[in-house]
Amino acid sequence: MKQLLCPLNGLRNISEFLYGGEVHELSDPRDYSAKDWAEHVFFDENRAGLVLEWWCHRPTSYWFIAERNTITDEVVRSFPSSEIFTHRIDFDQRRDRGEHV
Amino acid sequence: MPFGLLKYGLRKKYPAERHFTPTKPLKSHYDVVIIGAGGHGSAIAYYLAKTHGITKVALIDKGYLGGGNTARNTAVIRSNYLTEAGVKFYRDSVELYQNLSNEFGYNIMMENRGQLTLAHSDAAIRSFRWRAEVNQHLGVRSELVDRQAIKAMVPNLNLSENARFPVLAGLWHADGATARHDAVVWGYARGACQRGVELHQLTEAQGIDVEGGRVVGVRTNRGRIRCGVVVQAVAGASSVVGQMAGIKLPIHSFPLQAMVTQPYKPILTPHVSSPHVHVYVHQTSRGEFVIGGGSDPYPLYHTRATLDQKEILSAATLELFPFLAQAKILRQWAGTTDMTPDYSPIMGLSPVENYYLDAGWGTWGFKATPISGKMMAELVATGRVPALIEPFELERFYRFEQVNEAGATAASH
Ligand SMILES: Cc1cc2nc3c(=O)[nH]c(=O)nc-3n(C[C@H](O)[C@H](O)[C@H](O)COP(=O)(O)OP(=O)(O)OC[C@H]3O[C@@H](n4cnc5c(N)ncnc54)[C@H](O)[C@@H]3O)c2cc1C
């Protein structure tokens, strides 16, 4: 069976993992229009070639990022998401400002 | 071999006819360029020429005619979907299929053997009842059947109450059918070529020229083509080709795998599908059991077959048909299926003027070949989106008006 290198658990069978979609930059969600949200939720590059994507090691519920070639199915590298996402996105800022959300 | 057949074959009165026109040099201008010579692209070319008299058309394919998913599907034709938009659309397609052999003067080997979908849970029975009501309302033959009726239709199905997932009821769809997939694309392409369409195989779209928001040409490995209209009908390459025109799509490409056993004498009449154990099976007129329906668990642009899927499909098949335990698998294959979030296709206008989309055909596009060809041709000829395909426009995702097609084969997976 195909294996994937989990940054937390090492090399594991691919059946232990869940594919979680492409990694998207979320700029400032407070400025998102309905169209922006539609694009963010539904639309993807779906590129043939190297892509950055979310994966989850199911037994340990550990989410991480892998760079994979979608033509050859080779995983080039995998790493903790904290390497890209350095701070939390605060979705509650509008609530803080007393707005109705 | 009967002597008469041999004599017929040798007679000069019936010379072998050439199916498609020999490849000509690629011209520098066409009215319409259709990218992708699968069933869909060929059907669009056919109806453009036949119904609308538009024949300055180049039908281009990077490989050979019908070598994509048209060659790889399991040929199931049905219209027992769940949404009103879906049922109407596929119903009209099934109707067109019924007359296609006559229209082509060419046998597409349509076999009306019906489709039986199995329920293994109360929730499935409820949803089948719903589907049957919607289907009947829209003129599609679809009804809930009990275990006795199932036993009469499929005597060798495992109806044991001790099965892991006992069969509780079924959705019987008398309009369900299969057809020879290659014959469908050949028939359409032949009819298009006879009317003046140019088929260009080994001609890959490598770039799309857009000027002022309007498509003006296609760049290929055989040179640049200027044109007024482009239709992309590339099934498993929708995102890649769309990207050339700067169009992003709500699509993810997954390999879908299927396999086929050695031939047996006729023993299974209808097509049997189980959304619960994740498999569908039918016996071809050649006697082989076609076993389908396993998608890879993550996106990939590769059509290799895997041992994982062989095991998964075999295990599910044996739950339904234990007598196949000794059957040998002759072939296993995959095709890249472009999956949309709502299991419905994307047809119609795109953000680029005169650039039309026929995409997102996922695991369900073979049955749609005639009607999508007809509707897309009408769109190209008139510039207006026909009412039948309006619900399937790309725009629906921006309006959050998805056509949630829970009756799609993959949706239940
Ligand atoms: C295993 C499997 C089973 C299936 N079973 C069923 C079923 O039972 N019933 C059903 O309804 N559907 C089924 N489907 C889905 C169905 O096969 C497809 O939706 C349908 O065939 C799509 O037709 P098409 O003409 O759009 O695509 P294709 O036949 O794939 O044609 C697209 C063509 O575009 C060409 N192309 C791609 N990129 C370029 C480029 N850059 N330039 C030029 N040409 C290009 C390709 O070479 C290809 O020939 C199944 C699919 C698979 C893989």
Side-chain angles (χ1 to χ4, degrees), chain B residues 293-317:
Chain B
S295 285
D296 280 47
Y298 54 88
L300 191 63
Y301 286 98
H302 199 303
T303 50
R304 87 278 184 271
T306 63
L307 183 60
D308 293 0
Q309 279 299 333
K310 211 193 310 283
E311 281 177 350
I312 292 168
L313 289 174
S314 300
T317 304

Side-chain angles (χ1 to χ4, degrees), chain B residues 36-42 61 63-76 97 179-186 201 233-236 256-260 280 284 286 288 290 303 331-337 362 365-367 369:
Chain B
H40 282 240
S42 304
D61 200 288
Y64 59 92
L65 175 72
N69 284 355
T70 298
R72 296 158 198 272
N73 67 74
T74 46
V76 179
Y97 260 118
R180 170 91 196 272
H181 44 205
D182 303 309
V184 172
V185 59
W186 294 339
Q201 303 178 86
V234 293
L256 177 70
Q257 302 191 31
M259 58 193 197
V260 72
Y280 57 80
T284 68
R286 259 202 310 238
E288 301 159 336
V290 175
T303 50
R331 295 185 299 282
Q332 185 196 5
W333 67 92
T336 312
T337 55
F366 173 67
K367 66 179 71 62
T369 305

Side-chain angles (χ1 to χ4, degrees), chain B residues 27 134 167 171 216 252 280 291 304 309 332 379-380 383 409:
Chain B
K27 294 194 193 113
V134 173
V167 174
L171 184 69
V216 293
H252 297 99
Y280 57 80
I291 298 170
R304 87 278 184 271
Q309 279 299 333
Q332 185 196 5
L379 169 61
V380 171
T409 305

Side-chain angles (χ1 to χ4, degrees), chain B residues 34-44 59-78 81 90 97 177-178 181 185 200 202-208 218-221 232-238 240-241 244 254-259 271 280 282 290-294 303 333-338 358-369 372 409:
Chain B
I34 300 170
I35 308 174
H40 282 240
S42 304
I44 296 168
L59 174 61
I60 69 171
D61 200 288
K62 69 174 177 185
Y64 59 92
L65 175 72
N69 284 355
T70 298
R72 296 158 198 272
N73 67 74
T74 46
V76 179
I77 297 167
R78 62 184 180 91
Y81 280 75
Y90 293 107
Y97 260 118
T178 57
H181 44 205
V185 59
H200 290 283
L202 299 174
T203 307
E204 179 175 12
Q206 296 174 331
I208 312 279
V218 177
R219 273 167 281 144
T220 78
N221 55 326
Q232 79 158 69
V234 293
S238 302
V240 176
V241 174
M244 295 176 193
F254 289 82
L256 177 70
Q257 302 191 31
M259 58 193 197
H271 175 86
Y280 57 80
H282 67 260
V290 175
I291 298 170
T303 50
W333 67 92
T336 312
T337 55
D338 275 10
D358 179 79
W361 285 110
T363 63
W364 48 82
F366 173 67
K367 66 179 71 62
T369 305
S372 75
T409 305

Side-chain angles (χ1 to χ4, degrees), chain A residues 1-82:
Chain A
M1 182 175 276
K2 202 176 171 58
Q3 294 187 314
L4 184 57
L5 184 66
C6 171
L8 185 66
N9 301 285
L11 206 57
R12 295 299 176 111
N13 283 348
I14 194 83
S15 58
E16 291 184 19
F17 295 92
L18 179 75
Y19 169 76
E22 288 173 21
V23 174
H24 284 189
E25 284 287 329
L26 193 68
S27 42
D28 193 340
R30 287 166 300 177
D31 299 335
Y32 271 36
S33 64
K35 184 170 184 283
D36 295 332
W37 276 118
E39 291 217 335
H40 180 74
V41 175
F42 301 123
F43 289 64
D44 267 322
E45 299 289 340
N46 193 28
R47 207 179 302 127
L50 282 182
V51 290
L52 274 188
E53 48 199 22
W54 288 101
W55 284 84
C56 176
H57 181 248
R58 276 190 276 212
T60 53
S61 292
Y62 176 71
W63 283 93
F64 61 96
I65 295 174
E67 186 171 15
R68 187 173 65 98
N69 186 323
T70 57
I71 301 172
T72 61
D73 201 15
E74 280 160 336
V75 177
V76 183
R77 65 192 175 112
S78 55
F79 52 91
S81 58
S82 56

